[in-house]
C-alpha cells in the first residue's frame, strides 16, 4: 500500500473508532419525538400517511418519565421534534420541553439542546421566542424555490399555497433577536433548477448576512410516497456538479459569513447510532423517521412509566454497520432493510456552517 493510501486508511479507521465511541456512549442521548403525525401540508413528494394523530397523555407521560430515568446519567441530551408537523401539537412540545428545562436546572453537568424540523407555517416570531426559551434553538425549514414553484409542491392540506406566510415568518425571525440557528433546506428537482440561481441569490442577499441562517441544498429523492412513480428527480451522476455550481452562488457576496452546506457531509445517520431513538405519536419506538410503515422499524413501545418494551431482534439490524465497519450501512442503515435511498430529512443538530 502506498503512503497516501495507507494514510487515508488510517484516517478512516480513526474516524470510525471515534464515531462508534460516540454512538455507544451511555452518557449521550438523542431522542426524536413526534408529538403528532398529522400535518397541515400535503407536499407532493411526502412519504407519510398521516394516519396517527396527536400524542395521548399516557404517551406524553411516558416521554417525561423516560427522560427522568435517563437525566442523572447524561452529559448531553439532544431533543429533536419531528412529525407530521410538530407545531400542530405545540402545547405538547412546550410541555415536554419545560419538563426537560426543569430537570436540567438541578443538573449543572447536563448539556441540553433542542431542534425542530418544521414546515415553518406556524413558526412566527412569537413561537420562535417561546421555543428558544425552552432550549429549542435549531430549526430546519424547507423551501422548493420561488413562490410559484414552492406552491405547486409544498401545498397546504386545503390545497392552497404556503410560500407567502412562510416567507413572512422567516423575515420576522431575521428581524428579531432570538438566539436560534435556522437551516433553509432547499429541495432541488429538474423542474426548479432553472430558477435556482436567482432564488438562491435572493436567499443569500435576504438571510445569509445573518449568522443565524444557513442554506442546505438537497435533491429530492423517491422515498416511498404515493407520487414516487411520477416524480422527476435529478440523476445521481450529475448531482455533485449541480450542487457545486449552486453553492458557488450562495458563497458570492461582500459578506464572508455567507455559507452553504449539503447533507453528504453527515457520515453516520442518526438511525445507526445506538444512543438515538424515535418515539412516535402513538408510543411506538423506531429508529428511522422515513420508513415509518415498515415492520423492521417497529421496535416496540414506550410504557407510561418511561420503560421501554424493546424488540431486540429488530433493533440489532439497525446497528449492524458498527460490526461490519461498512460506511454505506452507517450512512443509511435502512438501505437493505427498508428504503433504497438515504432519508430526505436529517434529524439532529444543525449542520456546521462553512465559510
Amino acid at each position: 500500500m502506498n503512503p497516501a493510501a495507507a494514510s487515508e486508511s488510517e484516517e478512516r479507521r480513526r474516524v470510525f473508532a471515534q464515531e462508534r465511541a460516540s454512538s455507544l456512549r451511555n452518557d449521550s442521548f438523542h431522542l426524536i419525538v413526534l408529538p403528532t403525525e398529522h400535518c397541515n401540508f400535503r407536499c407532493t413528494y411526502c412519504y407519510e400517511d398521516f394516519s396517527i394523530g396527536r400524542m395521548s397523555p399516557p404517551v406524553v407521560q411516558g416521554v417525561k418519565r423516560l427522560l427522568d430515568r435517563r437525566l442523572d446519567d447524561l452529559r448531553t441530551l439532544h431533543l429533536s421534534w419531528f412529525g407530521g408537523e410538530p407545531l400542530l401539537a405545540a402545547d405538547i412540545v412546550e410541555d415536554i420541553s419545560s419538563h426537560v428545562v426543569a430537570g436540567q436546572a438541578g443538573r449543572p453537568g447536563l448539556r441540553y439542546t433542542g431542534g425542530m424540523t418544521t414546515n415553518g407555517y406556524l413558526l412566527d416570531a412569537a413561537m420562535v421566542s417561546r421555543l428558544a426559551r425552552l432550549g429549542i434553538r435549531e430549526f430546519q425549514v424547507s423551501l422548493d424555490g420561488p413562490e410559484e414553484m414552492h406552491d405547486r409542491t409544498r401545498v397546504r392540506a386545503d390545497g392552497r399555497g404556503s410560500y407567502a406566510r412562510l416567507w413572512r415568518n422567516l423575515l420576522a425571525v431575521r428581524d428579531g433577536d432570538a438566539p436560534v440557528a435556522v437551516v433553509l433546506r432547499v429541495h432541488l428537482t429538474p423542474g426548479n433548477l432553472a430558477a435556482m440561481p436567482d432564488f438562491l441569490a435572493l436567499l443569500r442577499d435576504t438571510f445569509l448576512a445573518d449568522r443565524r441562517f444557513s442554506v442546505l441544498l438537497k435533491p429530492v429523492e423517491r422515498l416511498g410516497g404515493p407520487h414516487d412513480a411520477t416524480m422527476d428527480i435529478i440523476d445521481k451522476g450529475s448531482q455533485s456538479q449541480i450542487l457545486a455550481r449552486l453553492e458557488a452562488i450562495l458563497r458570492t457576496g461582500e459578506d464572508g459569513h455567507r455559507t452553504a452546506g449539503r447533507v453528504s457531509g453527515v457520515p453516520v445517520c442518526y438511525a445507526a447510532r445506538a444512543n438515538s431513538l424515535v418515539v412516535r405519536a402513538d408510543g411506538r419506538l423506531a429508529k428511522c423517521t422515513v420508513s415509518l410503515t415498515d415492520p423492521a422499524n417497529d421496535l416496540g413501545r414506550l410504557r407510561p412509566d418511561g420503560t421501554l418494551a424493546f424488540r431486540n431482534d429488530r433493533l440489532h439490524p439497525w446497528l449492524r454497520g458498527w460490526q461490519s465497519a461498512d460506511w454505506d450501512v452507517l450512512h443509511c442503515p435502512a438501505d437493505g432493510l427498508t428504503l433504497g435511498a438515504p432519508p430526505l430529512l436529517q434529524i439532529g443538530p444543525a449542520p456546521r456552517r462553512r465559510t
Side-chain angles (χ1 to χ4, degrees):
M1 184 180 297
N2 63 55
S7 176
E8 180 180 355
S9 178
E10 179 60 30
E11 176 65 10
R12 287 176 65 85
R13 285 194 292 270
R14 185 194 68 79
V15 172
F16 176 81
Q18 184 180 55
E19 293 282 5
R20 181 173 58 186
S22 175
S23 169
L24 299 177
R25 289 184 61 156
N26 287 326
D27 62 355
S28 180
F29 188 30
H30 177 203
L31 184 64
I32 303 167
V33 181
L34 283 63
T36 179
E37 296 183 37
H38 283 173
C39 189
N40 52 342
F41 280 22
R42 290 297 182 270
C43 302
T44 57
Y45 43 73
C46 187
Y47 53 84
E48 297 194 40
D49 61 14
F50 316 114
S51 60
I52 300 172
R54 286 169 52 94
M55 266 190 177
S56 66
V59 178
V60 173
Q61 180 76 1
V63 173
K64 292 179 180 179
R65 297 287 80 82
L66 169 63
L67 291 167
D68 289 342
R69 289 172 176 272
R70 293 299 314 274
L71 288 184
D72 282 340
D73 300 323
L74 295 179
R75 294 181 61 186
T76 62
L77 168 67
H78 186 76
L79 186 56
S80 293
W81 296 97
F82 193 65
E85 168 49 46
L87 290 180
L88 290 179
D91 56 328
I92 294 175
V93 174
E94 294 183 63
D95 182 19
I96 293 174
S97 298
S98 296
H99 188 80
V100 174
V101 170
Q104 183 191 28
R107 298 172 173 88
L110 173 64
R111 179 175 179 267
Y112 154 61
T113 57
M116 178 178 290
T117 297
T118 170
N119 58 39
Y121 196 77
L122 301 174
L123 193 68
D124 58 21
M127 179 66 74
V128 167
S129 295
R130 291 210 310 272
L131 295 178
R133 288 194 292 270
L134 294 173
I136 305 171
R137 298 178 179 177
E138 301 167 1
F139 299 91
Q140 186 171 133
V141 180
S142 294
L143 292 158
D144 284 9
E147 185 168 8
E148 65 274 14
M149 291 183 171
H150 178 98
D151 283 349
R152 285 201 297 265
T153 52
R154 296 192 69 76
V155 185
R156 286 159 44 186
D158 62 8
R160 302 171 68 181
S162 59
Y163 183 93
R165 179 162 170 174
L166 171 56
W167 191 261
R168 287 197 302 272
N169 286 345
L170 292 172
L171 291 176
V173 174
R174 183 202 63 180
D175 295 339
D177 59 1
V180 297
V182 181
V183 177
L184 304 176
R185 185 185 182 97
V186 178
H187 292 146
L188 306 176
T189 68
N192 69 16
L193 282 182
M196 276 297 147
D198 288 344
F199 180 66
L200 295 179
L202 175 64
L203 292 184
R204 178 195 68 208
D205 296 340
T206 305
F207 296 107
L208 295 191
D210 186 329
R211 285 181 175 271
R212 297 174 299 166
F213 286 83
S214 60
V215 173
L216 187 66
L217 302 178
K218 181 65 176 72
V220 168
E221 305 280 357
R222 297 189 180 102
L223 296 173
H227 302 293
D228 274 10
T230 57
M231 280 173 49
D232 193 11
I233 63 174
I234 299 172
D235 177 75
K236 289 188 179 296
S238 60
Q239 287 184 11
S240 293
Q241 182 179 2
I242 291 170
L243 288 169
R245 173 170 56 84
L246 296 178
E247 287 174 356
I249 297 169
L250 290 164
R251 293 193 183 100
T252 300
E254 299 173 0
D255 191 334
H257 301 148
R258 294 167 180 174
T259 61
R262 64 176 74 174
V263 166
S264 59
V266 182
V268 178
C269 177
Y270 62 89
R273 297 186 181 277
N275 50 16
S276 178
L277 182 66
V278 177
V279 177
R280 298 187 61 182
D282 62 358
R284 277 184 288 170
L285 305 174
K287 291 294 287 180
C288 175
T289 58
V290 176
S291 50
L292 292 175
T293 61
D294 195 292
N297 196 33
D298 185 354
L299 305 184
R301 185 166 290 276
L302 171 68
R303 301 186 182 104
D305 66 357
T307 59
L308 306 176
F310 254 121
R311 291 198 54 169
N312 287 324
D313 59 322
R314 293 184 180 176
L315 174 62
H316 293 157
W318 292 93
L319 309 179
R320 69 193 187 282
W322 302 114
Q323 184 173 8
S324 64
D326 186 327
W327 281 102
D328 289 336
V329 172
L330 292 173
H331 181 67
C332 183
D335 192 0
L337 290 178
T338 51
L339 304 177
L344 176 65
L345 293 168
Q346 292 290 334
I347 311 297
R352 291 184 178 180
R353 303 171 65 87
R354 298 193 291 179
T355 57

